[in-house]
Amino acid sequence: MGIEPTDEVRAPASPWLNLVVSHEAIEAPRTNLGPSTFYIGPCFSTRRGTDQEGFPFDKLRADAFKVYVSLGTVFNDKPEVFRTILRGLDVPGVQVVVSGGAAYPALASGPLPSNVLLFRRVPQVELLPKVDLVIGHGGNNTTNETLAAGRPLLVVPVGGEQHDNARRVEYLGAGLFLPMGSLSEDGVRRAVTRLREEPGFRTRAEALRQHLADTEGTGTASALIALLARRRAPVRLPEGAPRTLTREGLASLLASLENTSAGATSRSA
């Protein structure tokens, strides 16, 4: 991109405050984080309610294994990829909800399996708890929102951070990685069968949901940035404190740092 290889690009970290918009429970282990780095949880609360009004939730079948398919908002103009996935899911007892994005016109113009509900876009955050499995591209929003809903993932990455997220989902035991280069109807069918029949995937995804439910990334980020602005000094993790800030942990941290600041001011005076 023509960016000069400055120190900030080589090691993009601040000595003052670094916010990782995730949870240690849904990441691979990292050992090079400094004392001013905090995991604050995902920030997706503002996405709730998008396009929810009028969505036909009543068409979701209670007697079916429901699969949600999305390729995100950037790399989604891939109708043949969608068609391969949908043919792989054309089996009894499965219902498929598709967010087609840019591929919607091409998908809508041709025949689709009878078990498919096709939309240009969906209220994703509200839909995820109502399905049993997600087939996605591995983008950060879809991955985090799916884990927050406690649903397993089959990840078919396209580019960017998505391959890393696919491997991370496998590492966490919450899903499977299916390379797009080897995508086939049979491969999709076999992967979905594993995710459906092996309970460990759902159990692990539910455990991660419980971890994420304890965080509130947007509010935590705001509180730490406000604290930094008031203190005008690096915000550091107290020794022995958890690096991931839950709601309860944030309150304890703020109280600890405020007391430290007050004590320092008193000694200075």
Side-chain angles (χ1 to χ4, degrees):
M1 298 178 67
I3 300 175
E4 291 297 322
T6 60
D7 289 341
E8 288 78 10
V9 174
R10 291 192 185 96
S14 166
W16 294 73
L17 178 64
N18 302 279
L19 304 179
V20 183
V21 189
S22 188
H23 191 300
E24 286 174 287
I26 64 169
E27 295 289 335
R30 301 172 187 262
T31 59
N32 60 341
L33 303 177
S36 293
T37 298
F38 300 85
Y39 286 85
I40 62 171
C43 298
F44 46 68
S45 59
T46 56
R47 289 163 54 86
R48 296 183 183 276
T50 304
D51 301 323
Q52 181 178 8
E53 185 176 350
F55 186 82
F57 287 104
D58 58 310
K59 290 187 177 181
L60 300 178
R61 290 169 43 199
D63 63 336
F65 183 82
K66 292 174 284 294
V67 181
Y68 169 55
V69 181
S70 171
L71 295 181
T73 56
V74 179
F75 302 113
N76 59 22
D77 192 8
K78 297 185 179 296
E80 286 308 315
V81 172
F82 276 107
R83 289 191 182 102
T84 299
I85 293 171
L86 298 182
R87 287 193 295 265
L89 294 172
D90 188 10
V91 295
V94 172
Q95 184 181 38
V96 186
V97 181
V98 180
S99 178
Y104 176 85
L107 294 173
S109 66
L112 293 172
S114 60
N115 64 341
V116 171
L117 298 176
L118 173 66
F119 304 92
R120 189 181 299 273
R121 57 183 177 271
V122 305
Q124 182 165 286
V125 173
E126 287 77 15
L127 176 63
L128 288 170
K130 302 179 185 299
V131 302
D132 300 292
L133 172 68
V134 174
I135 299 180
H137 62 312
N140 281 330
N141 280 332
T142 298
T143 300
N144 285 337
E145 289 167 3
T146 301
L147 294 177
R151 298 300 184 261
L153 277 153
L154 174 59
V155 187
V156 186
V158 181
E161 83 283 9
Q162 298 164 12
H163 285 84
D164 179 66
N165 284 336
R167 291 300 189 190
R168 179 162 60 93
V169 166
E170 277 204 326
Y171 169 81
L172 294 170
L176 297 173
F177 166 37
L178 191 59
M180 184 168 291
S182 58
L183 188 69
S184 68
E185 298 171 31
D186 185 58
V188 170
R189 193 174 297 115
R190 283 187 283 107
V192 169
T193 298
R194 277 196 65 192
L195 292 166
R196 182 179 183 180
E197 295 182 356
E198 297 180 20
F201 293 108
R202 182 62 179 263
T203 299
R204 184 60 181 149
E206 172 59 22
L208 297 177
R209 183 198 67 77
Q210 293 177 23
H211 283 297
L212 291 175
D214 290 334
T215 67
E216 204 287 287
T218 306
T220 301
S222 300
L224 290 177
I225 292 170
L227 177 67
L228 178 66
R230 291 196 306 272
R231 287 165 51 95
R232 296 178 179 270
V235 179
R236 293 193 172 95
L237 187 72
E239 186 174 353
R243 193 177 290 277
T244 296
L245 291 179
T246 62
R247 293 179 182 86
E248 181 179 344
L250 173 64
S252 298
L253 174 69
L254 294 176
S256 171
L257 293 177
E258 291 286 12
N259 290 338
T260 300
S261 177
T265 302
S266 175
R267 288 193 298 274
S268 176

